[in-house]
Structures are given as structure tokens and as C-alpha cells.
Amino acid sequence: MLERPQIEQVRRFNRTITERVGVLHDHYLGRDRPIGEARLLWEIGERGSDVRRLRERLGLDSGYVSRLLRALETAGLVTVEPLPSDKRVRTVRLTGAGRTELDELDRRSDEMAGSLLEPLNTSQRARLVSALAEAERLLTAGTVSLDPVDPDHPDAQHCLRSFFAELGERLDTGFDPARSLLPDAGELRAPRGVFLVARLHGEPVGCAGLKLPADAPAEVKRMWVSPATRGLGLARRFLTELEARAAGHGYDTLRLDTNKVLTEAIRLYHAYGFTEVPAFNAERYAHHWFEKRITAGEPV
């Protein structure tokens, strides 16, 4: 349960930061456009972007993005054209004037950031920068979604390929999926299981599966988090979600296995309440086997 003082502190922070960085003004950073248009220019950047990715990155609906793009087109700052190889995909690129405007926005943004730091002493600046870094990390963690998908979904396959590639690099023996006790896709589909994909700004950044066998404890399989998003608490969040799903299906025990070189995972499992047990399968790449007693709910 969220506590009222926590809610009030977040609201106070929101009011303070919107006032200090000038997002309440129609002319953001003293330019002839609101912050929405300026933010879109930053996201488009020198490399350009497709419209779908812009929507997902900023969490905006298509109608609002279209209005922002029309305003930037009218100002001569961007061009919007179909992708030559796929006419259904619209791409956005900066014009010469757009690049000039982006440079000016960057310059003024640096000045604005400096104006927040300049009145503070050295110790206060360090504290503020550290607090902002922590706030950014936690806010980013809060934007990650965990979505159940079919194991054959492209995002699921992307995560699994990345997972297997990392195992191949880290394990002393390498990793060959064909020699591992991989569940087939059917074992991670309802009603026999579930497969979750973590997405950040629409991009897959992690995965985890749960086997729900009829005659054995529930088992966590193929949990992986992208190196770029480690430190956001996603692995623990996966475990919490999978434990809740296992309990909801009436299971009272959760199992998993792991390799000895995955020391970060081993530390997490101990911290999360798993206990090391004798081997319960013949996984050739496993050195440690874990179980956790959970509170079974009513079968669903």
C-alpha cells in the first residue's frame, strides 16, 4: 500500500521540477515552441527515427505525435516520409534548419542545467546530481512493463537468443541450447506455463518463463535481463511476478536451477528466500538447485 506522505512528496517534487525547468511555458527555453515539440526534436536526433518508435519511446498516442510532427514540418524542421522498403513505416528526419534548432536547444539546455547547479555549493551539487541519478534509475525501473507473450513471439525469441549468447560467453563449457533441458514452447504456454517479456519504451529487455507441471512444483525457466537494464530490480520483479502466478495456480513450491558462474543470480536467489536443495533434474549446465516454499492461493 502506498503511504499518503509518499504520494505528497512525489507531488511536491513534480510541482518543483516543472517550475524550475520551465515546462509550464509555451516557449520552452525561450524558443517558439512548447516542450513537446522540443522533446520530439531531441528524440529524432541526427539519425532520425520511425514514428512508431517515437510514440513508444515517449509513451504518446498517435494523434498527439501526429500534431507535433505537423507543427515541426510546418516550421521546416523535419521531413516525414514513408520508408522506401516498407511504405507502411513513416520515418522522420531533421532538416538543416532542424539540426540548427537542435543545436540551439542543446546549448540552452546546458545553460538551464547550469542554472540549477550554480547557486549550490560543491557539496550540495554533488548531492543533487547523485539524487537525480538515483531518481532517474528508479523512474526508469517504473516504466518497464512485464507482459505475458507467446514463447514464439519475436520479442521472446530476441530475449532467448540474447540469453543463450550470453551463456555461451560466460560458461566455461560454452552453451549449446540443444544439449540443455529446454522446455518446448508448449511448456511455457497456458495452461502449462507462462512466458513474460520485460519491455522498456517498447523494446524487449528481459524475459522469464514459468513451468506449471501437473505432478511437480512450479519452476522458473530462462530468466534473463539485458545488461543495459541491470540494476533496475527487474530480476527480483520477475521472481515476484512468477511466484504470485504460481501461487495463484495453487502451487506451494517454486524451483529453479543455475550455473556456478552466474554468481549475481545465486546471490539474488539466496536474498529472495530460496534454499539450495539436491539436484531435482539432470540439467547438464546446472550446478545449483533451489527451492522456495510459497503460499498457495486458490487454484485458478
Side-chain angles (χ1 to χ4, degrees), residues 132-145:
L132 291 176
E134 178 70 359
E136 179 187 15
R137 185 181 70 83
L138 293 173
L139 289 171
T140 299
T143 64
V144 177
S145 65

Side-chain angles (χ1 to χ4, degrees), residues 232-286:
L232 298 182
L234 295 185
R236 181 177 285 270
R237 187 173 165 192
F238 271 131
L239 290 176
T240 301
E241 178 66 19
L242 294 180
E243 178 181 336
R245 288 175 179 265
H249 281 82
Y251 289 83
D252 62 7
T253 303
L254 191 61
R255 285 178 169 175
L256 55 83
D257 61 68
T258 193
N259 188 276
K260 63 182 180 182
V261 306
L262 304 180
T263 54
E264 318 95 307
I266 293 171
R267 287 196 298 269
L268 170 65
Y269 302 147
H270 282 298
Y272 191 76
F274 280 91
T275 301
E276 196 154 357
V277 297
F280 51 76
N281 61 27
E283 173 56 65
R284 66 181 297 117
Y285 293 107

Side-chain angles (χ1 to χ4, degrees), residues 55-296:
R55 291 199 307 266
E56 292 179 345
R57 175 68 182 85
L58 298 174
L60 302 175
D61 67 69
S62 58
Y64 183 53
V65 171
S66 294
R67 290 193 294 275
L68 291 176
L69 289 176
R70 280 198 298 271
L72 293 175
E73 275 191 293
T74 300
L77 302 180
V78 303
T79 59
V80 183
E81 299 174 341
L83 189 68
S85 59
D86 187 347
K87 300 298 184 182
R88 297 170 299 178
V89 178
R90 293 189 302 151
T91 60
V92 189
R93 297 191 181 280
L94 298 178
T95 63
R99 286 188 289 273
T100 299
E101 178 66 12
L102 183 59
D103 289 342
E104 180 62 16
L105 285 170
D106 280 333
R107 186 186 68 79
R108 295 188 181 211
S109 292
D110 286 347
E111 289 180 352
M112 186 272 291
S115 73
L116 299 180
L117 295 169
E118 195 276 333
L120 306 177
N121 62 40
T122 301
S123 175
Q124 289 174 320
R125 290 175 189 173
R127 288 166 52 200
L128 177 57
V129 170
S130 177
L132 291 176
E134 178 70 359
E136 179 187 15
R137 185 181 70 83
L138 293 173
L139 289 171
T140 299
T143 64
V144 177
S145 65
L146 298 188
D147 307 310
V149 302
D150 189 277
D152 288 332
H153 187 282
D155 286 352
Q157 289 298 304
H158 166 80
C159 289
L160 288 172
R161 286 192 301 270
S162 300
F163 179 39
F164 298 156
E166 181 173 348
L167 289 179
E169 294 175 356
R170 295 188 62 180
L171 270 56
D172 298 336
T173 58
F175 182 76
D176 180 0
R179 304 182 71 187
S180 174
L181 293 180
L182 290 173
D184 64 40
E187 291 183 277
L188 298 177
R189 288 193 186 105
R192 298 171 60 192
V194 66
F195 196 82
L196 303 177
V197 166
R199 293 186 174 105
L200 176 61
H201 306 310
E203 298 297 325
V205 295
C207 65
L210 180 68
K211 289 176 62 176
L212 299 170
D215 55 354
E219 187 174 351
V220 177
K221 303 296 294 183
R222 307 301 168 243
M223 188 170 75
W224 172 80
V225 175
S226 164
T229 54
R230 288 173 192 171
L232 298 182
L234 295 185
R236 181 177 285 270
R237 187 173 165 192
F238 271 131
L239 290 176
T240 301
E241 178 66 19
L242 294 180
E243 178 181 336
R245 288 175 179 265
H249 281 82
Y251 289 83
D252 62 7
T253 303
L254 191 61
R255 285 178 169 175
L256 55 83
D257 61 68
T258 193
N259 188 276
K260 63 182 180 182
V261 306
L262 304 180
T263 54
E264 318 95 307
I266 293 171
R267 287 196 298 269
L268 170 65
Y269 302 147
H270 282 298
Y272 191 76
F274 280 91
T275 301
E276 196 154 357
V277 297
F280 51 76
N281 61 27
E283 173 56 65
R284 66 181 297 117
Y285 293 107
H287 300 100
H288 301 275
W289 290 260
F290 292 91
E291 282 189 354
K292 181 183 180 183
R293 299 290 293 179
I294 63 177
T295 303

